Amino acid sequence: VSFKFFFPSILQRNAVFSREQARQRALYPRIEKIEVSMQGPGLDGALLVMNKGMSTPLSCARHLTEHHVTNSALALVDGEPWPLHQPLTHSCSLTLLTFKDNDPTLVNEAYWRSCAALLGQVLETAFKDDYTVELLSTREVPVLSGAFCCDVVLDPQLDSWTPSEESLRSLTRGAQQLIHQDLAWEPLEVAPSVALEAFSHSRCKQEEVEQKASQNPKGTVMLYRCGDHVLLSGGPLVARTGLCSQYEVTALHSLGQGSWGLHRRAQGLSLPLQLQAHHTVWRKLRQRAEKLVRTANVLQSNKNMFEKRTANVSVF
C-alpha cells in the first residue's frame, strides 16, 4: 500500500465543488440578519443574530463557549439534522448535538457514516498510480453491526491480492494522518447535474447520484469535501476528522464478482474523542469488527445488477 495524491479525478471533483460553493455563496451579496434561537442545557431562550447564508451552526457555537465548539458534532435546525458547517438560510431554532447527549443516536449514526467516508478517502489514494480504485455506492450500516464499511472494486490486477496485517496497518496510518489534520467535512447541497459533472469519471457514482436525487423530495444530492476529497453521502457527517480518536482498519473481505468487478468490503472500528475504551475492551471490539458485516442480500443484489447490465449485450 503506497499513498498517492492529486490524480485527475480528485482534482476534477475538487474543482467542481469549489466552483459550485463559490456560486452558492454569491447568492447572498448583501448581509441579511436572521434570528437563531438556541436550545439545550443552559441555553434555552438564548437568541443569536446571525448572517443569512453565511453563518453556520459552528458560527453559533463560537458565540457560546469553547466547550460547545470542541464537543459539538452535529446540529438540529428546527428539529432536522443539519451539518455543523452548513450555512443557515432562515431564522430557526438550533440544538448542538454531542456524543454525550442523553440520546446520541443521530450523532452516532453520523459518526459511523463519517468513519466510513474516511475509510473510502484512504482507500482511493492508497495504491500506486497505475492501479484503479472504484468506490461503490455507500451503504448505511447500523452502529450495532460492530464495524463501519466501505465497498470498493480494486484494479483487476489486484484480484488475487490478499491484504496482509501490515497492509491494514498502513491503511490505518493513512486514516490517522487525516484525523491528526483535523479536517472539516464541508457540506454542499447541489443539483444532480453538478454532482454528475463532479463524478464524470465514475459510472458507478453517476448511478448513485441519480438514485439519491430520485429519493430526495427536493431532487438534490449532498456532497462533502474533506481536504481535497469529495464524496457523496446519504446522510449528515460529523463536523471534522479530529472528532475521531481510536480508529483502526480491521478487514478487507471479498464479496465475489459483482457488476463492477470483484467487490470487496473494507471494514473498520472507531471511537470518538469523548469516548475512550480500555485496550482489553478495544481488543474484543476489534475481533468483532474483523468479521464480515453482511448487508441484506448483497450478493443477490450484485448478481441482479450484473444480469440487468448484460441482458442486452450480444456476444456475436
Side-chain angles (χ1 to χ4, degrees):
V1 180
S2 173
F3 289 92
K4 60 185 177 184
F5 303 93
F6 303 119
F7 54 103
S9 58
I10 288 181
L11 295 175
Q12 157 82 0
R13 293 193 305 247
N14 195 49
V16 172
F17 189 101
S18 293
R19 188 191 69 210
E20 175 64 13
Q21 187 180 61
R23 186 195 70 80
Q24 291 189 20
R25 286 174 175 170
L27 296 175
Y28 301 93
R30 295 174 51 205
I31 295 179
E32 298 180 47
K33 297 299 181 180
I34 56 174
E35 293 185 344
V36 179
S37 174
M38 300 301 304
Q39 307 297 314
L43 295 176
D44 289 347
L47 190 67
L48 300 178
V49 178
M50 307 300 290
N51 296 326
K52 179 180 180 179
M54 299 170 61
S55 299
T56 65
L58 183 61
S59 308
C60 296
R62 291 192 177 112
H63 283 276
L64 302 174
T65 67
E66 185 65 23
H67 172 83
H68 290 96
V69 173
T70 57
N71 288 279
S72 297
L74 191 66
L76 291 178
V77 171
D78 292 336
E80 294 298 319
W82 195 274
L84 225 59
H85 294 283
Q86 187 169 347
L88 301 168
T89 56
H90 56 275
S91 293
C92 59
S93 67
L94 173 65
T95 306
L96 299 171
L97 303 180
T98 77
F99 293 102
K100 292 192 173 182
D101 291 344
N102 290 334
D103 182 6
T105 302
L106 286 174
V107 177
N108 287 343
E109 290 173 350
Y111 183 74
W112 221 229
R113 205 178 287 124
S114 304
C115 290
L118 194 63
L119 180 53
Q121 182 169 350
V122 169
L123 285 167
E124 194 169 48
T125 57
F127 298 87
K128 294 179 179 178
D129 289 341
D130 45 349
Y131 293 126
T132 59
V133 177
E134 181 80 53
L135 300 180
L136 301 181
S137 178
T138 51
R139 293 185 175 275
E140 288 290 305
V141 178
V143 177
L144 292 177
S145 64
F148 52 82
C149 302
C150 177
D151 290 357
V152 64
V153 170
L154 302 180
D155 194 286
Q157 298 175 76
L158 296 171
D159 279 359
S160 61
W161 174 66
T162 301
S164 63
E165 283 297 319
E166 179 52 40
S167 297
L168 297 177
R169 282 193 291 270
S170 178
L171 294 172
T172 295
R173 286 193 295 271
Q176 289 170 344
Q177 288 174 6
L178 295 172
I179 291 169
H180 181 70
Q181 292 175 49
D182 197 19
L183 300 169
W185 269 296
E186 305 173 69
L188 190 68
E189 188 175 8
V190 303
S193 59
V194 175
L196 289 171
E197 181 185 358
F199 291 98
S200 58
H201 65 285
S202 170
R203 288 189 301 122
C204 175
K205 286 299 176 187
Q206 289 193 319
E207 285 194 5
E208 188 178 356
V209 167
E210 292 167 352
Q211 179 189 36
K212 281 182 166 44
S214 68
Q215 294 171 345
N216 185 343
K218 294 192 289 185
T220 58
V221 295
M222 186 64 82
L223 302 181
Y224 280 84
R225 180 166 63 182
C226 179
D228 292 292
H229 178 77
V230 176
L231 64 140
L232 279 168
S233 181
L237 304 185
V238 297
R240 52 193 174 85
T241 61
L243 288 170
C244 303
S245 178
Q246 292 168 283
Y247 188 108
E248 191 168 350
V249 181
T250 57
L252 186 57
H253 295 287
S254 174
L255 301 178
Q257 287 295 326
S259 51
W260 306 102
L262 178 61
H263 287 205
R264 299 179 191 245
R265 176 160 295 160
Q267 297 181 188
L269 173 67
S270 182
L271 286 174
L273 198 59
Q274 292 89 342
L275 302 172
Q276 299 293 303
H278 189 272
H279 64 88
T280 55
V281 176
W282 180 261
R283 187 165 62 247
K284 290 180 180 179
L285 292 173
R286 189 194 188 286
Q287 289 171 352
R288 182 185 176 196
E290 291 173 358
K291 298 176 181 178
L292 174 64
V293 173
R294 299 184 181 277
T295 56
N297 302 321
V298 60
L299 297 180
Q300 184 62 41
S301 173
N302 288 346
K303 181 174 182 289
N304 291 346
M305 191 177 295
F306 182 73
E307 290 173 349
K308 178 182 176 182
R309 289 179 182 285
T310 57
N312 299 319
V313 177
S314 172
V315 296
F316 300 105

